[in-house]
Amino acid sequence: SAHTKVTLDNTGRGRVFAFSFDNGSSDNCEIGYFKARRMNVACGKSTDCGDYVDFCCEDIGTTQMVAFEITDKAGNKNTCMVEVNVEDKLRPTIICPPDITLACTDNYDLTDLSPFGTVVTNPSLRKDIVINNFYHKGLVGKDGLALDNCSVTVESKFKVDINCHTGYIYRTFIATDPSGNKDSCRQIITILNPNPFTD
């Protein structure tokens, strides 16, 4: 069987027109038309013959079999199988929550940094980040957001660089899609002493 690759677009879809599966077919009559169909139901599409075949996120990393049918002007038909590898080469996009400044006297819990924001995967889930301290008076910004043409998962990790109650907390958020494409961003929480000793 023949092989072909399909790369999904920014909507998570890939459409291949039937004639694209042709690899130099010839006929002693004249070729009339090409049709193609998926061998399995997926992406909300049937296995009916048509002018094109659609692929989607659920096909990523799989080999999909497509029946490619050629009909000549006399009505004679021939069918061959084509293996289609579905790929997603688009990286997710990620926006971090805003950088934040804390006073060394502010309370924070390294086991739960969520009061300083997080990264969500649905715009409607973004919450306001509200900080009332020496440096911020209320709304600081919104949660970060990770998006992808298919689906995306977000993991976070942090590194602490604090000395004598001042320093930094570096939070890294990593967005990964089903194909393993990644993007990341960093939020910096700065911890300062608002009343340093002066001579």
Side-chain angles (χ1 to χ4, degrees):
S1 65
H3 298 269
T4 192
K5 283 186 178 171
V6 176
T7 300
L8 300 182
D9 66 14
N10 61 355
T11 66
R13 297 264 165 198
R15 175 168 284 181
V16 181
F17 287 89
F19 62 80
S20 304
F21 294 114
D22 182 38
N23 198 11
S25 304
S26 61
D27 187 78
N28 61 343
C29 293
E30 198 179 333
I31 290 177
Y33 55 88
F34 303 114
K35 294 283 184 188
R37 69 183 184 92
R38 294 179 64 111
M39 296 304 290
N40 70 337
V41 175
C43 306
K45 303 295 178 186
S46 71
T47 57
D48 295 342
C49 260
D51 295 329
Y52 55 83
V53 178
D54 283 334
F55 300 92
C56 65
C57 293
E58 65 189 82
D59 294 323
I60 292 172
T62 66
T63 300
Q64 294 296 320
M65 296 303 292
V66 170
F68 171 59
E69 184 181 274
I70 305 157
T71 305
D72 70 12
K73 295 277 186 174
N76 301 308
K77 294 179 191 245
N78 197 355
T79 303
C80 69
M81 299 304 293
V82 181
E83 290 183 357
V84 179
N85 292 81
V86 182
E87 299 178 337
D88 172 22
K89 294 184 175 175
L90 296 177
R91 287 184 356 179
T93 57
I94 188 167
I95 304 162
C96 262
D99 292 343
I100 287 171
T101 304
L102 300 178
C104 57
T105 51
D106 290 340
N107 290 323
Y108 60 91
D109 179 358
L110 288 176
T111 65
D112 180 16
L113 294 171
S114 65
F116 308 119
T118 187
V119 173
V120 296
T121 57
N122 182 329
S124 67
L125 299 177
R126 292 178 87 183
K127 293 192 176 93
D128 290 342
I129 301 166
V130 177
I131 309 279
N132 284 295
N133 68 3
F134 185 84
Y135 301 100
H136 301 288
K137 303 288 180 258
L139 183 65
V140 180
K142 285 192 169 299
D143 283 336
L145 180 65
L147 297 173
D148 189 67
N149 59 336
C150 289
S151 61
V152 64
T153 57
V154 179
E155 61 177 309
S156 65
K157 53 189 179 180
F158 69 92
K159 191 175 90 179
V160 178
D161 181 10
I162 296 174
N163 193 354
C164 294
H165 307 295
T166 61
Y168 303 93
I169 302 169
Y170 300 102
R171 298 175 78 196
T172 303
F173 295 88
I174 302 134
T176 308
D177 73 12
S179 292
N181 301 311
K182 293 181 186 293
D183 195 12
S184 64
C185 65
R186 185 164 83 165
Q187 178 195 36
I188 301 172
I189 300 170
T190 306
I191 302 164
L192 300 176
N193 182 349
N195 299 302
F197 292 114
T198 53
D199 291 335

